Amino acid sequence: GARSRSGGLTGAMKVSTAVAFLSAVLAAGKYPVYSPGAGGSVETCDGIACKPIDCKPPFKYKSPEDAGTCCPLCWAESIDVPEDRSWAKGMTGGVGMNNNADPTLCRDVVCPPADCPEYDQFFDGRCCTKCKTAAAVTPADLAKSFNDQKVA
């Protein structure tokens, strides 16, 4: 085990613990996080260089203090932008779930069309019909079989 005969931690375990602790301390100081109300004792935006911004209407300049960020933002309170779906023109939808799939868990699922002949397709208990070439065991399969074993 990790304990020596005297009950204390082994030298290797002490070194590992010290390295993990120092890594966590150094990582915590690596990324600044804005802390409003922290006062002058904590400046979490040190090292952040902000670029100049030019806010065009309907956007308005929002200071870092008002935005809760390290840098200013261009912000619009309410703006209606028409949705541009022109890039999706010509795309075809997928196929629905397999008839044997759970209708609650697979609600609103869109499956990619199987790119193999029908005799090469199978259903593995999830939402979509798949090609036999996709029958590799994945981490999701392993987790499902593990959960099935716990229930049984």
Side-chain angles (χ1 to χ4, degrees):
R3 300 202 176 261
S4 66
R5 290 182 191 186
S6 64
L9 293 176
T10 64
M13 191 66 172
K14 288 179 184 176
V15 170
S16 296
T17 303
V19 168
F21 177 75
L22 287 174
S23 297
V25 169
L26 292 174
K30 191 172 186 180
Y31 299 103
V33 177
Y34 185 73
S35 302
S41 62
V42 178
E43 183 50 66
T44 55
C45 293
D46 284 346
I48 300 295
C50 300
K51 300 286 184 187
I53 59 173
D54 182 24
C55 301
K56 307 268 190 240
F59 296 97
K60 292 184 171 47
Y61 178 87
K62 197 165 194 176
S63 71
E65 293 78 23
D66 292 338
T69 59
C70 290
C71 297
L73 300 174
C74 288
W75 190 263
E77 289 301 326
S78 64
I79 185 169
D80 291 328
V81 179
E83 188 172 331
D84 177 17
R85 302 284 295 169
S86 60
W87 59 271
K89 193 173 201 153
M91 289 178 122
T92 59
V95 295
M97 68 179 173
N98 184 287
N99 289 335
N100 298 313
D102 184 307
T104 304
L105 295 175
C106 297
R107 175 183 56 238
D108 297 330
V109 71
V110 177
C111 302
D115 192 23
C116 58
E118 193 170 341
Y119 62 82
D120 259 352
Q121 297 175 9
F122 76 104
F123 178 64
D124 64 357
R126 293 199 224 147
C127 298
C128 301
T129 302
K130 297 177 179 70
C131 295
K132 288 181 182 171
T133 56
V137 177
T138 66
D141 297 321
L142 297 173
K144 182 180 181 317
S145 66
F146 178 74
N147 286 335
D148 289 347
Q149 289 174 0
K150 286 190 340 188
V151 171

